[in-house]
Amino acid sequence: MSRLMDSMENTLMPIAGKISGNRYLNAIRDGFTLALPLIIIGAMFLLVANIPIEGYGEFMAGIFGASWADFFNTVFNATMNLMTIFVIWGIANSLAGYYEVDGLSAAAVTFAAFLVITPISVFEDANYIPFEWMGAKGLFVAILTAILAVEIFRFIVKKGWTIKMPEGVPPSVSRSFSALIPAFIILVVFSLIRLGFAYTSYETVHGFIFTVLQQPLTVVSKGLPASLVANLFISLFWVFGIHGAQIVGAVMSPIWVQLSAENLAAYDAGASLPNIVTQQFQEIYLQLGGSGCTLALCIAMLLFARSQQVKQLGRLAILPGLFNINEPITFGLPIVLNPIMMIPFILTPMVLSVVCYFAINLGFVPRPSGVIIPWTTPPIIGGFLIAGIRGALLQVVSIVISFFIYFPFFRIVDNQYYKQEQEFENEGAQGATTTF
């Protein structure tokens, strides 16, 4: 077992180091972090406007009038339906910070470049940019735009091809003139890109990316195999003390969020929901207590531990565990570099992936509504918010399954600690007798 652990560590650590140190993945993660509060707020407003209780809409209309839902839908349209704007701004600012160039200017120019390549629609002689490309459907183009635009911006600034103002000019004015040449070149480049795609069958960059890249990736990632692989690596990284959710999430979150947005759009339209694997599927059903679904382990430690050390750790870990934070157990039991506990830690989320996927696929539980709720939402509440009472019951079933997977391994570790405590007490008693 020790040789296996060493081999896995030697294989995974370099991979994790490269992923966690990748400036583009880090910038993408920061972009979604910036947008996440607004996405959550927009989704919650939409949920309030569409609570799945019979007669709810008529009841609200009777009190506030027929257009009562507009109050909530306006916030949804200004947040969830415009998520690409916030994401592209966050990515550009983060990547510019890595290169130590002006993040505000780089983000503003990047957003302008994105608008240049975004198709304009015409309705009754008026031009407008449709929400279609400002929401989840435009995310991939936004990500690629941010990376390319900031790389050009950085290259020009580092070469010194900027307008330098004399000393005494206010910094804000100087910064504006410094960005003038980079902005001009970037917008020319993106105008040429737009023009080039206009002569292809795809017509726009968005059409090309969505057809060739985004759609195939989304199709592959929405299935059970992708969920199993993602959760396998999340757990493997954690076993070696690396934040697996952040590492894997940097790659998968853009796709999971898009799948959630597709469900949310269908939910809003009253249509059938297309996806099972979404951001909510991952965070609400497969991370009960945190990565590895360790809430059941907390319960076992609290109720069945013989060792005082494990029982005390269970008392300390149960409250964070209810909010899906499990570092006290991960590093305290520990699970990290523990050849016994790594087995259920890896196995549990993969078993739950299969159970939850088929429970939803067979119609026992509704598909996730697409409402993005905080990952710290406690179990039962989280399941209810995304899938009603059956979603809450699925979480209960998942906790029970997790408990039975963890319990035999927990008992082994607990007995080890218990024997150590007994030996320590016996040694202490013998020492006291000898001294007397």
Side-chain angles (χ1 to χ4, degrees):
M1 181 63 74
S2 176
R3 184 174 299 175
L4 175 63
M5 292 284 289
D6 291 341
S7 176
M8 292 175 65
E9 183 175 3
N10 292 335
T11 302
L12 289 174
M13 289 295 284
I15 297 174
K18 290 181 180 179
I19 294 176
S20 62
N22 186 281
R23 57 184 178 273
Y24 302 122
L25 292 178
N26 286 335
I28 293 170
R29 180 199 62 201
D30 293 342
F32 277 92
T33 300
L34 175 68
L36 187 59
L38 298 172
I39 293 173
I40 291 173
I41 291 170
M44 295 302 292
F45 268 75
L46 182 64
L47 177 63
V48 173
N50 297 274
I51 293 178
I53 298 176
E54 187 175 353
Y56 171 74
E58 292 78 4
F59 172 77
M60 295 294 285
I63 299 175
F64 300 106
S67 59
W68 68 273
D70 290 348
F71 174 82
F72 301 98
N73 290 332
T74 299
V75 177
F76 168 73
N77 287 330
T79 52
M80 192 78 179
N81 269 351
L82 296 177
M83 71 164 73
T84 289
I85 295 176
F86 312 120
V87 170
I88 197 172
W89 199 279
I91 293 172
N93 183 68
S94 175
L95 191 56
Y98 175 86
Y99 289 128
E100 298 182 346
V101 296
D102 182 21
L104 185 61
S105 297
V109 174
T110 297
F111 180 56
F114 177 74
L115 293 179
V116 166
I117 60 174
T118 298
I120 304 296
S121 297
V122 179
F123 180 74
E124 295 182 352
D125 297 327
N127 296 333
Y128 68 95
I129 298 175
F131 272 179
E132 177 185 18
W133 301 115
M134 296 293 108
K137 198 172 179 181
L139 276 175
F140 272 66
V141 175
I143 292 170
L144 296 175
T145 298
I147 293 172
L148 177 58
V150 174
E151 287 291 345
I152 297 173
F153 189 95
R154 183 264 308 183
F155 177 81
I156 296 169
V157 170
K158 296 297 184 181
K159 288 292 185 180
W161 301 343
T162 59
I163 298 175
K164 296 179 175 59
M165 302 299 290
E167 294 183 8
V169 175
S172 58
V173 176
S174 179
R175 185 166 56 243
S176 298
F177 276 90
S178 295
L180 189 59
I181 294 177
F184 174 78
I185 295 175
I186 289 170
L187 295 182
V188 168
V189 169
F190 277 84
S191 294
L192 293 174
I193 292 173
R194 178 188 61 81
L195 186 62
F197 276 96
Y199 290 99
T200 69
S201 60
Y202 300 104
E203 297 184 351
T204 66
V205 178
H206 289 272
F208 173 77
I209 294 296
F210 186 75
T211 303
V212 175
L213 179 62
Q214 187 168 350
Q215 209 168 30
L217 279 177
T218 302
V219 170
V220 171
S221 300
K222 68 170 61 174
L224 178 60
S227 177
L228 291 172
V229 172
N231 282 284
L232 171 63
F233 278 97
I234 287 173
S235 298
L236 281 175
F237 283 130
W238 263 119
V239 164
F240 296 100
I242 304 164
H243 201 303
Q246 286 188 0
I247 298 292
V248 176
V251 178
M252 296 301 299
S253 283
I255 299 172
W256 284 334
V257 169
Q258 182 200 337
L259 294 171
S260 298
E262 290 176 3
N263 276 21
L264 193 59
Y267 178 78
D268 186 35
S272 59
L273 306 183
N275 304 311
I276 295 176
V277 177
T278 64
Q279 188 83 352
Q280 298 77 43
F281 179 85
Q282 175 64 29
E283 293 184 347
I284 303 304
Y285 290 136
L286 307 185
Q287 295 183 357
L288 295 164
S291 298
C293 310
T294 53
L295 180 59
L297 178 58
C298 285
I299 295 171
M301 293 167 62
L302 187 64
L303 299 179
F304 298 101
R306 300 174 67 199
S307 162
Q308 291 302 313
Q309 178 179 342
V310 175
K311 187 180 289 290
Q312 184 63 32
L313 181 60
R315 294 184 185 127
L316 295 172
I318 188 65
L319 184 58
L322 288 172
F323 294 92
N324 304 316
I325 299 169
N326 66 351
E327 276 81 356
I329 284 185
T330 307
F331 295 100
L333 188 58
I335 292 172
V336 172
L337 297 176
N338 187 328
I340 296 173
M341 295 308 301
M342 68 175 283
I343 298 173
F345 188 79
I346 294 171
L347 182 63
T348 301
M350 299 186 71
V351 171
L352 294 187
S353 292
V354 175
V355 171
C356 294
Y357 185 89
F358 282 105
I360 296 171
N361 191 48
L362 295 174
F364 297 123
V365 178
R367 300 189 177 203
S369 63
V371 174
I372 296 180
I373 59 178
W375 59 270
T376 52
T377 303
I380 314 303
I381 297 174
F384 180 79
L385 288 176
I386 68 168
I389 187 64
R390 286 184 287 172
L393 290 175
L394 180 58
Q395 286 190 305
V396 173
V397 171
S398 296
I399 292 172
V400 173
I401 293 173
S402 302
F403 180 87
F404 283 107
I405 295 174
Y406 270 109
F407 192 80
F409 301 92
F410 147 76
R411 184 60 85 190
I412 294 172
V413 173
D414 181 50
N415 285 337
Q416 289 178 345
Y417 281 119
Y418 181 73
K419 289 178 181 178
Q420 291 175 2
E421 290 175 358
Q422 293 299 306
E423 291 173 0
F424 182 78
E425 288 181 5
N426 292 336
E427 290 175 0
Q430 291 175 359
T433 303
T434 303
T435 303
F436 178 77

